[in-house]
Amino acid sequence: MNANKNLTKKSPAKDEIYFIGFDSGFGHVKSSKKQCFPAGVKLDSANSSITGTSNTLELNGIKYAFGTEVEQMIEDKSQNADMLIQLLACIAEDAVKKGIGKDPGSNGMPRKIKAALGIGMPLKYYGNKKLREAYIKYFSEKFKNNVFRYAGEVFDITFVYVKCYPQAYAVYKVNKDKLTDQEYIMIDIGANTIDSLKVVNGHPAEGSLFTFRKGVNHLLDEIRDELETEGIRLSRETLTDIIIHSRKIRHKRADFIQTVCISHADKCISEVIGTLKQKYDLSLPVIWIGGGYQFMKDYIKKDADIFTVEE
């Protein structure tokens, strides 16, 4: 999702701009600082985070636990208030780790950071100029000045500007020096959608942007629905482990559960690959992006017609 090399700059000195690329997915939050955690945010009314005290952030007197399981997916991300907490958490965690925004001898003083934000935007929205502008306006207004507390410290973050980038194409941009072929197919497998496009001579090909509403969550929902008709209730994490690692769990109906998981995975992945083959020539170099690729990796590698060059 890093659409600009500046988004991976070294730690800034005092008064320098801190660059960060940010993508709030339906399943996980990712940043250009090599951060990835579940996208759920909850009010921390019990005064202690579900996932540990380091995953608690206090803003405007309210404590939030971040990095929890997503309970509700919001299609229009510009209406998702959790994104502010997610972004501030990414910056604070990175600042603590790298000593950013803290002057020698300034104990007790806020860490002051001037930040530039690059946002990853789904391809289906990025192609619409009005939606793109509304997305940038939302973030620009929402993330002006924020004072909050994290890990026992106070942070004072000011966003100096916000820019928007198409998610899948951003990966090409930051790796273009080592991607020397003229044509690439970029496929981003996310929690709720699969976004893809063709890159020719470094630019998105006209009419090649494509969004397929068949992400990982659809697969897990189908599996859970069938299992629940049999009175079997398993977490998404357990089902994910069964599919990716072919792990047989300790359960009285373990064989049945594994059969259901593999059957649905086979069907879903066959449908996804079939749809992508209708849209693109996958014998061109293909670059796979997103956590959902882990679900399909073994199946894709068995397909002799698909030329995978990067994962």
Side-chain angles (χ1 to χ4, degrees):
M1 65 147 289
N2 314 344
N4 188 315
K5 283 189 176 181
N6 286 336
L7 299 182
T8 57
K9 272 189 173 183
K10 294 181 179 180
S11 303
K14 183 181 178 182
D15 295 330
E16 288 188 2
I17 303 299
Y18 172 85
F19 293 85
I20 184 167
F22 175 74
D23 172 24
S24 177
F26 289 110
H28 287 78
V29 172
K30 289 83 67 178
S31 88
S32 58
K33 308 303 177 181
K34 299 182 179 179
Q35 296 161 309
C36 180
F37 54 85
V41 173
K42 295 181 180 180
L43 288 177
D44 196 11
S45 55
N47 204 34
S48 61
S49 170
I50 296 169
T51 55
T53 54
S54 64
N55 283 30
T56 304
L57 185 149
E58 182 178 342
L59 176 67
N60 298 327
I62 301 173
K63 290 188 177 181
Y64 300 88
F66 63 88
T68 64
E69 183 176 353
V70 178
E71 293 184 345
Q72 179 183 6
M73 288 185 294
I74 300 175
E75 182 70 21
D76 183 354
K77 293 184 181 182
S78 69
Q79 301 302 311
N80 185 357
D82 291 347
M83 284 198 292
L84 175 59
I85 304 302
Q86 297 164 351
L87 175 60
L88 296 180
C90 286
I91 296 174
E93 181 184 79
D94 190 52
V96 169
K97 183 188 299 182
K98 299 175 181 175
I100 298 169
K102 197 169 184 72
D103 295 330
S106 63
N107 291 339
M109 298 296 290
R111 289 182 185 259
K112 291 192 175 184
I113 300 172
K114 293 181 180 179
L117 173 62
I119 308 164
M121 189 174 186
L123 296 179
K124 66 175 181 177
Y125 296 138
Y126 191 83
N128 184 312
K129 184 179 179 181
K130 287 187 177 180
L131 284 176
R132 189 165 69 246
E133 290 175 347
Y135 207 63
I136 293 174
K137 181 181 178 182
Y138 167 81
F139 281 100
S140 299
E141 293 178 351
K142 190 80 172 178
F143 301 147
K144 284 184 178 178
N145 297 91
N146 298 276
V147 179
F148 63 97
R149 184 177 294 275
Y150 168 82
E153 294 192 48
V154 177
F155 293 78
D156 184 351
I157 296 177
T158 301
F159 289 91
V160 294
Y161 69 77
V162 179
K163 292 188 177 181
C164 194
Y165 303 94
Q167 288 170 350
Y169 181 57
V171 174
Y172 173 83
K173 291 291 287 184
V174 298
N175 291 283
K176 64 180 182 180
D177 289 343
K178 66 177 182 179
L179 299 176
T180 56
D181 293 284
Q182 287 186 318
E183 298 187 34
Y184 289 93
I185 308 298
M186 317 287 297
I187 302 174
D188 184 357
I189 305 175
N192 213 38
T193 60
I194 297 174
D195 289 318
S196 54
L197 77 159
K198 184 178 182 180
V199 176
V200 179
N201 293 325
H203 301 283
E206 185 74 23
S208 72
L209 277 66
F210 177 63
T211 294
F212 182 37
R213 298 188 60 82
K214 192 70 174 181
V216 171
N217 284 331
H218 294 87
L219 168 60
L220 296 178
D221 286 343
E222 289 173 358
I223 293 172
R224 291 178 83 175
D225 288 346
E226 180 168 343
L227 291 178
E228 285 185 5
T229 62
E230 299 288 328
I232 301 171
R233 294 176 176 84
L234 298 174
S235 68
R236 288 177 178 269
E237 290 77 10
T238 298
L239 297 177
T240 297
D241 202 26
I242 294 171
I243 296 169
I244 294 178
H245 303 295
S246 300
R247 185 172 71 86
K248 192 172 183 179
I249 64 172
R250 289 171 59 83
H251 193 285
K252 284 188 175 181
R253 303 190 66 186
D255 289 336
F256 172 74
I257 292 169
Q258 194 163 30
T259 298
V260 170
C261 287
I262 300 305
S263 174
H264 277 279
D266 283 343
K267 180 181 176 182
C268 175
I269 292 165
S270 295
E271 180 182 351
V272 168
I273 292 176
T275 301
L276 290 171
K277 283 184 174 180
Q278 291 177 16
K279 184 70 179 177
Y280 307 105
D281 176 6
L282 297 186
S283 59
L284 285 168
V286 179
I287 298 175
W288 299 93
I289 311 159
Y293 175 66
Q294 297 300 317
F295 283 78
M296 305 186 183
K297 180 167 60 177
D298 291 340
Y299 297 83
I300 290 168
K301 287 184 175 180
K302 293 175 185 176
D303 193 321
D305 295 330
I306 299 177
F307 180 28
T308 296
V309 293
E310 291 284 339
E311 303 173 6

